[in-house]
């Protein structure tokens, strides 16, 4: 019996050793990298930005030569921006031609100007021209489009620095995405079709359908996002998606306190939820199309730090 | 529990390796015990398999040899003289036991009837056969037990491990596969071990018990033939 026991034992240990040495450790599944980014990650906010950006880009291409001399109005805008942007975009370039560059990246998302400079240089150039053109025609309107109102409150807030400290990665990620999209041309058809409508509805809410459109929802979200101090210094803040239900009165004020729909699972989550509630309270009366009061009277908002950072 | 911490934990896990050793080391203590038990039972059942395989082979060879000699026409007395000195198995043991009894009754010269002597011889051979069979089938039952219970034991380990995984989901409120996968992999490893122990045990049990029954049949046949021979001898003498 002893011999067979030793034989058996030796066999088992040999098998274990063989399994340890010979059998490969679990391998990762190599999933072929598809370009799924184009399909599933583009959200309304990003789409809007894309459209806004592509519009900026596209229009000036033709008038390029004509507009070159018309850079004079540029400086008007610049000082104004520079005052606000002084900290954000430290290089306040004195010569007119390069000057427009820094403010433009700052408009989109202040923190990573370097990235912007490197990647989008060719694209960024035409933009000032467009601004110049617009200003020439309607100086006020040109400045209104979405980005600027967004930026203002942020600067008005006392701690934009914290925001900036926290953001860069996400914004960089977003920015990385945008140029890619532009290059791939995936968004080009959208540009041409939606350019005009998308822009207008954003400001005027001219939609006739009974449901609240994505643009309007996005607009509301931006209004709130301006007031929202995202939870800073929380690990994995991007996972803290807060769902909040609000009821609005006809004049855009809150009818009752916001209601947190998602369960408060942890302390950090509570912090995030509280910050969202505060943002809703602070941003006061919301501008929404009065026609559709029935639709937006009760809205469920998703507070997703990723989106807010990106937007 | 902070989801962030947990995510970090699973991150660390997913970078670790998932070899068999790692799976074993990461397992819950209950699952570990199950695995150890299964491995030990596998070792023991293989020991039994080897032992029985050797034993049966040698017995079969010895039986062949003995029968060859027995039917070669050699004198039974001589055969008994050569065999009684050494230990014997199966048919040889039967023959030796019967001859010993025969000799004893011859020497005693007690007033025994022929029928009584024959009955005694058969009894002796019966007892010897039972002893031999008991020795052949010793521990085979363990194989049967392992074969039938090891899968269940392994399944128990798996169920326990999966239970833990689901508890992990519940605690972390995170259904990410990375939270669940390690636990399930460990758990399934237990079932794999159970099957690994059970399958050879079942096969070997069937094979070995069949072989043992065959040898038993052979012994029985020999006993009948031998008692027939003896009865003929007694009749001729009587």
């Amino acid at each position: 019996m002893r011999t067979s026991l030793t034989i058996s034992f030796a066999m088992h240990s040999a098998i274990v050793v063989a399994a340890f040495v010979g059998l490969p450790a679990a391998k990762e599944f190599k999933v072929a990298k598809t370009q799924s980014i184009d399909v599933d990650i583009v959200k309304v906010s990003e789409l809007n930005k894309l459209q806004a950006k592509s519009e900026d880009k596209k229009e000036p291409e033709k008038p390029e030569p004509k507009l070159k001399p018309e850079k004079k109005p540029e400086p008007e805008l610049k000082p104004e921006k520079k005052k606000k942007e002084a900290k954000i975009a430290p290089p306040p370039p004195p010569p007119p031609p390069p000057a427009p560059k820094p403010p433009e990246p700052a408009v989109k998302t202040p923190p990573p100007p370097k990235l912007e400079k490197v990647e989008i240089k060719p694209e960024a150039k035409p933009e000032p021209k467009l601004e110049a053109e617009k200003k020439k025609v309607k100086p006020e309107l040109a400045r209104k489009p979405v980005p600027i109102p967004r930026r203002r409150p942020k600067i008005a807030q006392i701690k934009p620095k914290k925001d900036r400290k926290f953001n860069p990665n996400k914004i960089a990620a977003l920015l990385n995405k945008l140029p890619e999209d532009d290059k791939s041309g995936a968004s080009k058809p959208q540009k041409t079709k939606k350019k005009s409508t998308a822009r207008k509805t954003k400001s005027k809410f001219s939609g006739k359908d009974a449901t609240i459109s994505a643009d309007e929802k996005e607009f509301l979200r931006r209004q709130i996002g301006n007031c929202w101090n995202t939870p800073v210094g929380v690990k994995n803040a991007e996972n803290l998606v807060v769902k909040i239900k609000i009821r609005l009165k006809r004049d855009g004020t809150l009818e009752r306190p916001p209601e947190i729909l998602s369960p408060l699972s942890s302390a950090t989550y509570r912090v995030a939820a509280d910050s969202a509630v505060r943002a809703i309270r602070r941003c006061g009366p919301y501008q929404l199309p009065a026609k559709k009061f029935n639709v937006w009277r009760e809205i469920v908002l998703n507070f997703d730090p990723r989106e807010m950072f990106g937007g | 529990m902070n989801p962030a911490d947990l995510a970090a934990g699973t991150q660390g896990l997913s970078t670790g390796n998932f070899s068999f050793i790692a799976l074993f080391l990461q397992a819950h203590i209950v699952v570990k015990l199950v695995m150890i038990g299964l491995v030990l039972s596998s070792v023991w059942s293989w020991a039994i398999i080897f032992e029985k395989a050797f034993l049966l082979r040698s017995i079969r060879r010895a039986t062949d040899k003995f029968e060859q000699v027995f039917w070669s026409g050699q004198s039974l007395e001589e055969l008994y003289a050569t065999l009684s000195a050494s230990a014997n198995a199966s048919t040889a043991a039967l023959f030796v036991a019967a001859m010993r009894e025969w000799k004893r009754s011859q020497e005693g010269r007690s007033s025994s009837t022929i029928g009584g002597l024959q009955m005694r011889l058969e009894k002796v051979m019966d007892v010897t056969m039972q002893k031999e069979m008991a020795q052949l089938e010793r521990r085979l039952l363990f194989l049967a037990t392992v074969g039938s219970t090891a899968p269940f034991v392994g399944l128990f380990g798996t169920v326990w491990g999966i239970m833990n995984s689901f508890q992990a989901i519940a605690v972390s409120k995170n259904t990410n596969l990375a939270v669940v996968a390690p636990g399930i992999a460990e758990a399934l490893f237990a079932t794999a071990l159970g099957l690994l122990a059970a399958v050879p045990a079942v096969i070997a049990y069937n094979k070995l018990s069949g072989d043992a029954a065959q040898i038993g049949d052979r012994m029985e046949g020999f006993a009948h033939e031998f008692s027939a021979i003896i009865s003929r001898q007694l009749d001729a003498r009587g």
Side-chain angles (χ1 to χ4, degrees), chain B residues 46-168:
Chain B
W46 272 101
I48 291 171
I49 290 169
F50 282 129
E51 201 234 347
K52 288 296 160 193
F54 293 148
L55 184 68
L56 285 175
R57 207 175 57 172
S58 68
I59 282 179
R60 206 177 296 133
R61 203 172 288 162
T63 309
D64 286 347
K65 208 171 153 193
F66 170 76
E67 285 187 354
Q68 206 184 354
V69 174
F70 183 80
W71 296 112
S72 67
Q74 200 180 352
S75 139
L76 294 188
E77 300 283 341
E78 275 174 38
L79 191 57
Y80 173 68
T82 52
L83 284 177
S84 61
S86 58
N88 294 290
S90 88
T91 46
L94 284 186
F95 171 75
V96 169
M99 284 303 281
R100 191 180 293 133
E101 186 57 37
W102 165 268
K103 289 247 171 202
R104 244 179 237 156
S105 41
Q106 293 285 71
E107 282 161 10
R109 265 275 154 238
S110 55
S111 57
S112 63
T113 60
I114 293 170
L117 177 60
Q118 175 120 23
M119 236 167 80
R120 265 207 308 284
L121 287 177
E122 275 173 16
K123 271 260 154 52
V124 165
M125 282 200 283
D126 238 18
V127 167
T128 316
M129 197 162 69
Q130 268 172 15
K131 256 190 228 162
E132 289 291 309
M133 283 307 289
Q135 220 224 321
L136 275 182
E137 285 176 346
R138 218 173 114 222
R139 296 197 182 118
L140 271 187
L141 270 184
F142 181 82
L143 290 185
T145 310
V146 168
S148 56
T149 55
F152 293 117
V153 175
L155 192 63
F156 167 70
T158 296
V159 168
W160 191 274
I162 287 179
M163 231 167 68
N164 276 343
S165 296
F166 278 111
Q167 280 170 347

Side-chain angles (χ1 to χ4, degrees), chain A residues 228 239-246 258-266 268-274 276-277 280 299-305, chain B residues 173:
Chain A
W228 189 24
N239 290 339
L240 299 173
V241 178
V242 186
K243 219 172 193 181
I244 291 180
K245 188 165 140 190
I246 54 173
E259 191 183 331
I260 299 165
L261 291 182
S262 30
L264 295 170
S265 51
S266 66
T268 50
Y269 196 87
R270 193 179 293 271
V271 170
D274 284 348
V277 170
I280 292 174
I299 294 182
V300 177
L301 290 167
N302 269 327
F303 279 72
D304 186 346
Chain B
K173 292 189 178 59

Side-chain angles (χ1 to χ4, degrees), chain A residues 76 86 117 133 179 223 235 263 269:
Chain A
E76 292 175 15
K117 268 180 208 163
E133 178 202 46
Q223 288 179 40
K235 238 200 262 174
Y269 196 87

Side-chain angles (χ1 to χ4, degrees), chain A residues 1 4 8 12 20 23 235, chain B residues 5 20-21 42-43 51 139:
Chain A
M1 196 69 215
S4 21
S8 165
H12 277 82
F20 192 49
L23 289 183
K235 238 200 262 174
Chain B
D5 289 347
F20 289 113
I21 305 295
S42 175
V43 168
E51 201 234 347
R139 296 197 182 118

